[in-house]
Amino acid sequence: MSKKQWVEWTTGELRILREIWASSEPLKTNVHRLPRHTLRSILFKGRREGLPPRYTVKSAYSPAFGVLKQELQRASNHVHGLAANTGVSYRRAHEFARVMHADGKIHITGWRKTERNGPAAPIYAWGEGDDVPRPEPARVRERLPRKTDASRNPFGQIIDYARQQQREAA
């Protein structure tokens, strides 16, 4: 069984790491400058070297964001619908909706249930606007089907039908 070979960091690579860390661009756009190391190892080494957190860096939009933007400009939809119509994964569509809503580029025009007993999903539309508030969830007694006498007795439907016929005849 072979052991994983650890790649030692050279002084030149550490200098490049500090340059990348200080820039306002995302790390993924500069990973090619450190070809011997993965993104995960770059992040780990940066933290290990005591470099400050990168809170001011705004991540670059992925190419999928352009496709999702065009679909949302065409018609308002919820995240499941966006993912189905564009072929983009649900996770990427959800990230798109979260980022764009936080930036104020999309707003919530309504809510739609995607599953019978699940929560309502927001319907997003492109452009600025006021968000429609989230509806109150249904109470448990409204979600569960009520049991009637006919459903408890296997012959209940026949008995109920006979009673209705008797009332109509009288």
Side-chain angles (χ1 to χ4, degrees):
M1 195 164 129
S2 65
K3 285 190 165 188
K4 180 169 168 87
Q5 298 272 334
W6 296 103
V7 179
E8 294 295 327
W9 285 78
T10 64
T11 55
E13 289 175 337
L14 288 174
R15 182 184 47 77
I16 293 171
L17 173 66
R18 287 189 182 92
E19 287 175 14
I20 292 172
W21 205 272
S23 73
S24 61
E25 294 180 356
L27 286 176
K28 287 182 181 180
T29 59
N30 290 308
V31 170
H32 68 279
R33 294 180 63 192
L34 297 168
R36 298 184 332 133
H37 303 283
T38 63
L39 177 64
R40 186 174 177 182
S41 68
I42 292 169
L43 288 169
F44 183 77
K45 188 65 173 180
R47 283 189 233 119
R48 189 87 183 241
E49 289 290 314
L51 297 174
R54 295 174 41 93
Y55 295 128
T56 58
V57 178
K58 186 170 185 172
S59 64
Y61 295 141
S62 71
F65 276 29
V67 174
L68 292 165
K69 177 183 174 184
Q70 287 179 349
E71 179 64 25
L72 202 55
Q73 285 176 336
R74 192 175 62 77
S76 60
N77 208 342
H78 54 84
V79 175
H80 289 286
L82 284 173
N85 292 346
T86 59
V88 176
S89 69
Y90 170 77
R91 183 176 181 179
R92 182 65 63 189
H94 182 71
E95 180 188 354
F96 166 79
R98 183 181 54 79
V99 168
M100 291 296 159
H101 190 257
D103 288 348
K105 295 182 180 177
I106 63 174
H107 64 281
I108 299 172
T109 59
W111 297 82
R112 181 185 311 152
K113 284 185 152 262
T114 56
E115 298 173 12
R116 182 171 179 225
N117 288 332
I123 301 171
Y124 295 102
W126 190 260
E128 296 179 2
D130 294 333
D131 289 343
V132 174
R134 184 182 204 129
E136 291 292 323
R139 294 187 199 105
V140 174
R141 67 177 173 210
E142 294 171 1
R143 284 187 280 162
L144 298 175
R146 294 189 182 121
K147 291 189 176 183
T148 60
D149 290 336
S151 64
R152 289 187 196 136
N153 185 353
F155 300 105
Q157 290 179 339
I158 297 170
I159 295 169
D160 286 344
Y161 180 73
R163 287 184 183 150
Q164 284 178 349
Q165 293 299 324
Q166 187 179 7
R167 284 187 207 132
E168 291 174 6

